[in-house]
Amino acid sequence: MPTTVKGADVRRVRHDLGELLGDGEDVGDAAVAERLGAAFLAMGQVPGAGPELAAASLEALETAGGARAAAVLAAMTVLARPPLAEDARAALERLHLAGVRSPAETEVGTLVVEEARRLALGTGEVLVALLRRPGARQVQAAVVIVEHEESGGAAVGGSLSPPGSPRSLRRALAKMAGALGEGWGSSLSPGDLTEALRRAFARSAEAGLAVPFDLGVAAPILARALTGDAAAFAPVMVNGSHELPLDPEDEEGLDAASEELARHLVEVNEGDPVVERSGPFVAQTMCDYKWRYGDRRLGSWTTADLDEYLLDYFPRKVCADDELVRDAPPCAVAFLTMLDDHDALEGASLRSLGTHVEAIATEFRRAVSDRRRWDPAKSAMTAMLDDGVDPEDEDAVAEWIDAGNAGGDLWGAGPRRRSEGAAPTHDGSRGGGRAAGRRARAKQRKTARAARRRNRR
């Protein structure tokens, strides 16, 4: 079932826009601008999104300003349906009045269909189109999956590739067709493809189906390339649910899953300073505990699991300063709340788990401060960090071990007592600033990965 957009999703739109406009991706490229613009439009098609989500996108883009924001707004003017297209155009014109433009503005919305194919797929078919901008060498491949038996010919999946060489994309599509036993399929005219897609999207809308997000992104771009009108196909609902990676198969899968869960935790709690600074580290250690010492079901939590994590695993294995110790219980509850919001929490109820964390918080703080509970690896790791040694620097670690062995006190005394006042961050600076806190949390995550590699058993 598609999820309903909540207030946290609107905040995530603002957060994602800032991240996307600030990263190294070339939003001045028309293909990237179209993909981002169509992605924010697709968010507005999630059931329950309403006008708030679209308004948040436009407002955040205009506030961000700059050529990248102008490129995405330009894409939304040609890909959105009225009245959102007019709102995007008005926001873009205000940026123009402020002297802000993007060279991509003249390129968005110029894709045309160069070649189209139909491939048989069991009870359905795959419709494929190669799209190219005038004068461009690279092409993009649009794929729409149509299912006939259960849905009566509805569009149920698909995507749009980034630009690539025609040869490589044709080779990839031919490989897919070969896997279906179809060769390269049968040729379609652009007109026939347009009519086939009109029927498929109309059927999706009639059946009340929520299409995958990637298809929601591709639909207006493909419609404009075929007809010149991004609204040529019936509007459909988009499934906005976030699939949480809760079933890793191996060590690499665990690392990828825990990092994705940590990232998403910050997204849905954007604006919460406790979760922003400590949530990712706590989420990753909760996943580590579950995988190595629990039942490997990252979404299943009981009060007994929380006792093991907070009263045994964390005190025994996790290097934590005073701030992280204060933050760990509320961040654990935030992690469990995220699971519950995605209908992914199994075991006990969120209410009983949250109440239990609150009940054992004092005992947790006592357990963390009891050095007798620390295992040798944590004692050594804490001592290294106190001495400014990067656990990922093998040469520095080797020198530190040699020095400790020469002094005879590497494992005996445990970590040295820190000075009074602000706790030093793991990069050697004093805590007391948001940037320093972010550096400390990043260092902690790095340390956790190093500790996992050194202490796996």
Side-chain angles (χ1 to χ4, degrees):
M1 290 294 291
T3 58
T4 298
V5 172
K6 305 173 183 177
D9 296 283
V10 176
R11 293 195 299 273
R12 189 166 70 248
V13 169
R14 298 177 185 275
H15 177 270
D16 285 350
L17 273 167
E19 292 291 318
L20 290 167
L21 296 175
D23 69 13
E25 195 168 25
D26 183 12
V27 185
D29 177 82
V32 177
E34 286 175 348
R35 177 169 57 81
L36 295 181
F40 289 113
L41 295 175
M43 288 182 186
Q45 294 172 251
V46 175
E52 294 84 2
L53 203 62
S57 301
L58 295 179
E59 180 185 347
L61 282 165
E62 188 174 356
T63 300
R68 293 184 172 193
V72 179
L73 281 171
M76 295 175 76
T77 66
V78 298
L79 298 177
R81 297 172 185 268
L84 187 58
E86 287 74 18
D87 293 340
R89 185 170 293 106
L92 180 60
E93 289 173 354
R94 287 191 288 271
L95 288 186
H96 287 171
L97 289 175
V100 177
R101 292 180 180 272
S102 167
E105 292 179 38
T106 59
E107 295 293 320
V108 296
T110 61
L111 284 171
V112 295
V113 174
E114 185 174 82
E115 181 179 355
R117 295 272 173 171
R118 173 187 280 119
L119 311 175
L121 177 65
T123 61
E125 61 187 353
V126 181
L127 303 176
V128 180
L130 292 181
L131 317 177
R132 191 193 298 262
R133 297 182 201 280
R137 292 185 177 181
Q138 294 187 317
V139 298
Q140 293 178 255
V143 176
V144 178
I145 301 171
V146 180
E147 197 282 325
H148 288 286
E149 186 171 283
E150 295 186 5
S151 65
V156 296
S159 63
L160 177 68
S161 78
S165 73
R167 178 178 297 179
S168 64
L169 284 178
R170 283 191 175 91
R171 186 183 302 120
L173 292 170
K175 185 176 181 180
M176 177 185 73
L180 298 174
E182 279 295 305
W184 183 209
S186 59
S187 179
L188 280 178
S189 71
D192 289 341
L193 176 60
T194 299
E195 290 309 308
L197 290 173
R198 285 188 196 275
R199 291 193 299 270
F201 281 100
R203 180 57 191 149
S204 296
E206 291 169 4
L209 297 178
V211 304
F213 190 81
D214 285 346
L215 180 57
V217 172
I221 298 174
L222 182 55
R224 176 152 180 112
L226 279 166
T227 69
D229 179 9
F233 304 147
V236 293
M237 294 186 296
V238 170
N239 191 335
S241 60
H242 187 102
E243 294 290 334
L244 297 180
L246 299 176
D247 299 301
E249 296 182 355
D250 51 28
E251 297 286 350
E252 291 186 1
L254 171 66
D255 287 342
S258 63
E259 289 178 6
E260 164 64 13
L261 290 167
R263 182 190 66 80
H264 191 58
L265 177 65
V266 172
E267 288 179 352
V268 299
N269 288 277
E270 195 245 337
D272 184 330
V274 173
V275 177
E276 286 184 342
R277 68 176 172 249
S278 299
F281 184 73
V282 171
Q284 288 181 303
T285 57
M286 291 178 76
C287 292
D288 186 74
Y289 155 72
K290 261 294 186 172
W291 177 267
R292 304 192 193 288
Y293 307 101
D295 55 14
R296 294 197 167 190
R297 298 166 61 195
L298 304 187
S300 177
W301 289 86
T302 65
T303 55
D305 290 327
L306 291 174
D307 284 340
E308 289 290 327
Y309 169 70
L310 289 170
L311 303 181
D312 177 60
Y313 168 91
F314 198 108
R316 180 165 50 91
K317 302 192 74 67
V318 178
C319 300
D321 57 22
D322 292 342
E323 183 180 68
L324 179 57
V325 172
R326 289 194 302 270
D327 291 350
C331 286
V333 174
F335 179 77
L336 298 169
T337 301
M338 178 187 73
L339 295 176
D340 189 63
D341 285 345
H342 287 78
D343 295 324
L345 180 64
E346 299 177 357
S349 69
L350 176 63
R351 182 174 182 178
S352 65
L353 294 173
T355 300
H356 190 69
V357 170
E358 184 177 354
I360 65 173
T362 300
E363 186 178 357
F364 161 72
R365 289 189 289 271
R366 284 199 301 264
V368 171
S369 64
D370 185 353
R371 298 185 184 185
R372 294 171 299 178
R373 294 174 178 255
W374 295 5
D375 69 6
K378 176 176 177 177
S379 297
M381 188 73 69
T382 305
M384 272 192 287
L385 293 171
D386 281 348
D387 286 344
V389 176
D390 183 351
E392 297 259 313
D393 186 336
E394 294 185 1
D395 291 337
V397 170
E399 291 179 7
W400 182 85
I401 291 175
D402 289 342
N405 286 334
D409 63 353
L410 179 59
W411 307 104
R416 284 172 290 284
R417 183 181 301 277
R418 289 174 171 165
S419 60
E420 296 296 321
T425 66
H426 292 314
D427 63 355
S429 62
R430 290 278 166 183
R434 193 168 182 177
R438 285 196 298 268
R439 289 195 299 272
R441 298 285 81 79
K443 188 69 172 183
Q444 287 170 333
R445 292 194 293 273
K446 186 177 180 182
T447 299
R449 289 194 292 270
R452 287 203 298 265
R453 286 195 290 272
R454 295 175 187 276
N455 295 304
R456 283 172 181 163
R457 51 178 173 164

